[in-house]
Amino acid sequence: MSNDIERELRAALRPVDPGERFAERVLARIAHDPTHSTRAPRLRRPAAASYRWWGAGLAAMVVLAVVAVHDIHVRRMEQGIEARRQLLEALRLTNEKLDIAYRAINANDRHATAQKSGA
Amino acid sequence: MNAFKRTSIVVLLAATLLLVTSSVVAAPGALTVPSFDALAKRATDSVNITLDSSILGLAAGFLDPSSPEDAAARDVISGLKGIYVRSYTFADDFAYPEAEVDMIRKQLSAPGWQRLVQVRNSKDHGNVDIYISTDQGRANGLAIIASEPREFTIVNIVGSIDLQKLHRIEGKFGIPNLSPTVTK
């Protein structure tokens, strides 16, 4: 009984020659099979790579923000220095004109005093 | 529908008028100083300074408190709303049109303004007029018109002007002792 089973198994599993052009036929069948896709299977991007992109984006945004803040600060400084220069120039010009008036008033006062003392 | 349209137009016009009026009406003590573009083109040297309250605030932040000049400037500008200076120097005598100067003088004949000092120097043709604008006894504007044969300057300082402060900074900017009692 056991010898029969063994013999049947051997017969079933015996090496059989696939014949000529077996590989070509298999490939041709695969090519014509509509359910088969020749595209490579889509792989899911690993989570670590995605986080890396997010990190790089965030870092770029931080760098841009720092540059923008620095630029605003520099511009503000330049405006402030220019405003100070203009203020001092305005006060200098104001003073110059007030001084003319002051000297004229003083000269008049001296003249009036001299006239009084002469009289 | 017509009534709605008419009302809308009236409201729009009123809003526009209000906007225009508010921008045209100057603050007390402020003069409408022309741009003097034509003068600037002919001048060999021109100074055009417009410091409104925000720029004055910005400038104040950059004044060095350890410098006497800067400290004096800070003291003077506290309470000011604006400083406007136009100054032109020319290569020839009387190259500026008198009409421009008269336009400014006309504004200074308005109520509220009074002439503090008038200097007429026949020798060097140097004229200086100092006007002050007051409201309820408080100075809120100062105007200086100075003209020489080759120079023309207008200064308008707007805001609460304390002549005592001007007196205190004497010697720093060379500002003289200008007592409020000195009139003409």
Side-chain angles (χ1 to χ4, degrees):
Chain A
M1 183 71 179
S2 66
N3 283 344
D4 288 345
I5 293 169
E6 193 180 329
R7 198 171 46 249
E8 279 173 20
L9 272 172
R10 276 182 189 279
L13 298 173
R14 77 182 187 282
V16 178
D17 183 13
E20 277 182 31
R21 303 178 66 184
F22 171 76
E24 283 175 33
R25 274 184 281 127
V26 170
L27 288 172
R29 195 177 294 171
I30 289 169
H32 285 97
D33 186 358
T35 59
H36 180 77
S37 170
T38 52
R39 281 194 306 182
R42 199 170 160 192
L43 297 172
R44 279 195 70 189
R45 184 175 288 161
S50 173
Y51 287 141
R52 214 174 296 142
W53 279 109
W54 276 106
L58 201 68
M61 278 172 67
V62 167
V63 168
L64 278 176
V66 167
V67 168
V69 167
H70 180 258
D71 191 46
I72 290 168
H73 180 70
V74 167
R75 262 190 237 172
R76 192 80 178 154
M77 283 279 286
E78 285 171 358
Q79 285 174 347
I81 291 165
E82 177 60 16
R84 176 187 174 274
R85 189 197 64 75
Q86 289 199 355
L87 171 65
L88 295 180
E89 171 74 359
L91 289 176
R92 187 193 63 75
L93 266 167
T94 304
N95 155 63
E96 196 181 289
K97 303 309 166 194
L98 285 174
D99 198 43
I100 294 170
Y102 175 68
R103 273 190 269 123
I105 291 165
N106 268 359
N108 272 353
D109 284 352
R110 275 199 299 271
H111 184 68
T113 312
Q115 273 189 335
K116 268 185 193 172
S117 60
Chain B
M1 188 64 184
N2 272 346
F4 176 72
K5 263 188 184 175
R6 214 175 302 141
T7 313
S8 304
I9 290 168
V10 168
V11 167
L12 203 70
L13 281 174
T16 311
L17 194 69
L18 196 72
L19 208 72
V20 168
T21 313
S22 62
S23 61
V24 165
V25 172
L31 295 174
T32 306
V33 183
S35 61
F36 293 121
D37 287 338
L39 278 187
K41 280 177 192 162
R42 278 185 291 171
T44 53
D45 187 25
S46 62
V47 176
N48 187 334
I49 296 173
T50 298
L51 300 166
D52 59 19
S53 57
S54 64
I55 302 176
L56 279 177
L58 182 66
F62 283 83
L63 291 171
D64 178 10
S66 63
S67 152
E69 194 182 65
D70 283 25
R74 183 191 285 270
D75 200 30
V76 167
I77 64 171
S78 66
L80 293 188
K81 292 175 183 166
I83 301 177
Y84 307 91
V85 177
R86 306 282 185 271
S87 184
Y88 305 95
T89 308
F90 303 93
D92 305 310
D93 284 359
F94 302 106
Y96 52 89
E98 274 294 317
E100 305 254 22
V101 188
D102 287 342
M103 200 203 101
I104 301 286
R105 284 192 210 279
K106 204 171 275 179
Q107 291 182 57
L108 295 165
S109 61
W113 284 101
Q114 57 178 311
R115 190 157 52 201
L116 202 66
V117 178
Q118 181 181 40
V119 175
R120 294 284 178 269
N121 192 328
S122 55
K123 204 165 82 180
D124 62 5
H125 299 283
N127 301 330
V128 179
D129 292 294
I130 302 173
Y131 294 83
I132 195 156
S133 164
T134 51
D135 182 34
Q136 295 177 337
R138 286 187 65 85
N140 57 21
L142 183 82
I144 302 171
I145 299 179
S147 59
E148 289 171 49
R150 294 190 178 191
E151 200 182 313
F152 167 58
T153 303
I154 292 176
V155 177
N156 182 206
I157 299 176
V158 186
S160 135
I161 297 158
D162 188 344
L163 291 176
Q164 290 300 316
K165 278 183 188 171
L166 284 177
H167 174 82
R168 274 204 297 273
I169 65 167
E170 182 184 358
K172 296 193 176 67
F173 291 98
I175 289 179
N177 182 354
L178 192 70
S179 163
T181 53
V182 176
T183 50
K184 288 186 200 177

